[in-house]
């Protein structure tokens, strides 16, 4: 943030909010650095993952065959929705025993991570600044981002995990020989001259699906986070019209963003099921 006791400029405010709390203790300079860990992303994603598992466990543990309560009824509707989607995409009943619970967990987990975008942008960072200052640190360097899905590391990490699962099912369903045969003979046919082209196309397809899977979620949530930050800037203009505009714009965008966070969780879940289903199909 700004020095000399003055408030930050607009650009400093935005940059501060878009900087991660990492193991460097300062903004990352290089585009790719595998030695750097985003501690805020790890904390919030793991915490919300534990919350997801606890909620689903609680629903299963307290399920009753009688008249369900509102929480059980909601979870049952969610489970039924995911099961219907899984049946339509993953046709192997044995594989669905893993794919359906995975899809349910992914949907709920990503929803909670996306939901963090609806918390006022300055609330948790301000609390962290106070904690950081109380521990003797400089509050101007107390960085914190609370939306894990607005971090490309998190979304690509999840998409790579889905890729590994699809590779596992390719090997399990088709066998090593069958999958290697498919890599070199699809999509253009079984001819030695086409083997390099087929293999290159298959690799490009795997990479493209994985990158787009993670980038889609990241792009939508990063844009949503940035818009909330810009709306917060509007409220910091110290004018009546700025404050009124901040309240109106923030409320409208928050209502619209509720649809986005649910839709993006559903899309990621569906693509996970689709990619697992495709691993069961032969070309």
């Amino acid at each position: 943030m700004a020095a000399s006791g003055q408030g930050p400029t607009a650009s400093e405010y935005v940059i501060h909010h878009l900087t991660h709390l990492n193991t460097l203790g300062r903004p990352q300079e290089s585009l790719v650095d595998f030695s750097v860990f985003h501690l805020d992303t790890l904390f919030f994603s793991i915490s919300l993952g534990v919350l997801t598992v606890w909620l689903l466990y609680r629903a299963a543990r307290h399920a009753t065959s009688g008249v369900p309560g509102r929480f059980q009824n909601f979870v049952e509707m969610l489970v039924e929705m995911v099961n219907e989607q899984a049946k339509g995409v993953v046709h192997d009943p044995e594989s669905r025993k893993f794919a359906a619970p995975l899809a349910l967990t992914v949907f709920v987990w990503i929803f909670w991570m996306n939901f963090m975008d609806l918390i006022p942008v300055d609330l948790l960072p301000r609390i962290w600044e106070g904690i950081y200052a109380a521990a003797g640190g400089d509050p101007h360097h107390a960085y914190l981002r609370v939306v894990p899905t607005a971090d490309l590391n998190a979304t690509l990490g999840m998409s790579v995990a889905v890729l590994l699962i699809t590779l596992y099912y390719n090997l399990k369903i088709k066998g090593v020989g069958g999958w290697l045969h498919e890599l070199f003979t699809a999509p253009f046919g079984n001819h030695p001259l086409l083997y390099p082209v087929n293999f290159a196309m298959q690799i490009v397809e795997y990479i493209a699906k994985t990158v787009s899977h993670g980038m889609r979620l990241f792009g939508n949530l990063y844009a949503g986070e940035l818009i909330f930050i810009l709306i917060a800037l509007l409220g910091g203009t110290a004018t009546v019209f700025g404050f009124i505009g901040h309240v109106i714009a923030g409320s409208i965008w928050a209502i619209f963003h509720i649809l986005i966070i649910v839709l993006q969780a559903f899309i990621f879940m569906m693509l996970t099921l689709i990619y697992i289903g495709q691993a069961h199909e032969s070309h």
Side-chain angles (χ1 to χ4, degrees), residues 27-269:
Q28 182 178 328
E29 297 177 355
S30 59
L31 180 62
V32 178
D33 190 342
F34 291 105
S35 67
V36 179
F37 293 88
H38 290 175
L39 301 177
D40 44 13
T41 297
L42 289 171
F43 173 78
F44 287 109
S45 60
I46 293 173
S47 298
L48 294 170
V50 172
L51 174 64
T52 298
V53 172
W54 178 78
L55 286 173
L56 296 177
Y57 171 78
R58 181 175 179 273
R61 184 176 178 83
H62 294 89
T64 175
S65 57
V67 179
R70 286 178 294 181
F71 177 66
Q72 180 181 335
N73 190 50
F74 174 76
V75 173
E76 287 179 354
M77 290 174 58
L78 195 59
V79 170
E80 184 177 351
M81 180 272 292
V82 173
N83 275 331
E84 288 300 316
Q85 299 299 330
K87 288 179 182 178
V89 178
V90 183
H91 303 297
D92 185 353
E94 191 65 29
S95 296
R96 279 203 306 273
K97 293 180 181 179
F98 172 80
L102 172 67
L104 177 63
T105 304
V106 164
F107 177 78
V108 178
W109 186 27
I110 292 179
F111 169 80
W112 283 121
M113 288 192 288
N114 294 350
F115 184 83
M116 296 297 290
D117 213 7
L118 297 179
I119 297 176
V121 294
D122 284 312
L123 178 60
L124 295 181
R126 289 288 185 182
I127 294 174
W128 172 241
E129 283 183 15
I131 296 173
Y132 197 79
D138 183 357
H140 295 153
H141 297 142
Y143 304 109
L144 186 71
R145 292 183 66 181
V146 303
V147 186
T149 43
D151 183 358
L152 187 58
N153 294 279
T155 58
L156 281 182
M158 290 187 289
S159 65
V160 168
V162 173
L163 171 65
L164 295 177
I165 293 172
T166 59
L167 294 180
Y168 165 77
Y169 276 109
N170 270 296
L171 293 172
K172 179 182 179 181
I173 301 300
K174 303 166 187 175
V176 176
W179 183 53
L180 289 176
H181 180 267
E182 181 178 280
L183 281 178
F184 287 93
T185 60
F188 298 119
N190 188 5
H191 192 284
L193 293 178
L194 295 175
Y195 289 169
V197 179
N198 287 329
F199 181 75
M201 291 293 292
Q202 289 280 348
I203 297 302
V204 168
E205 180 181 352
Y206 278 115
I207 294 175
K209 289 193 298 186
T210 302
V211 172
S212 63
H213 197 191
M215 287 289 292
R216 180 183 293 104
L217 178 60
F218 160 75
N220 281 276
L221 271 297
Y222 182 86
E225 180 185 41
L226 185 57
I227 291 176
F228 275 122
I229 293 173
L230 295 176
I231 292 174
L233 272 176
L234 180 63
T237 57
T239 65
V240 175
F241 292 108
F243 176 76
I244 294 175
H246 162 75
V247 172
I248 295 175
S251 300
I252 293 175
W253 181 244
I255 293 171
F256 176 73
H257 203 57
I258 293 173
L259 300 176
I260 294 178
I261 65 177
V262 176
L263 179 62
Q264 290 305 314
F266 179 78
I267 290 175
F268 197 97
M269 177 201 76

Side-chain angles (χ1 to χ4, degrees), residues 269-282:
M269 177 201 76
M270 283 303 304
L271 288 175
T272 299
L273 287 173
I274 289 171
Y275 294 157
I276 293 176
Q278 287 177 344
H280 290 70
E281 301 172 358
S282 299

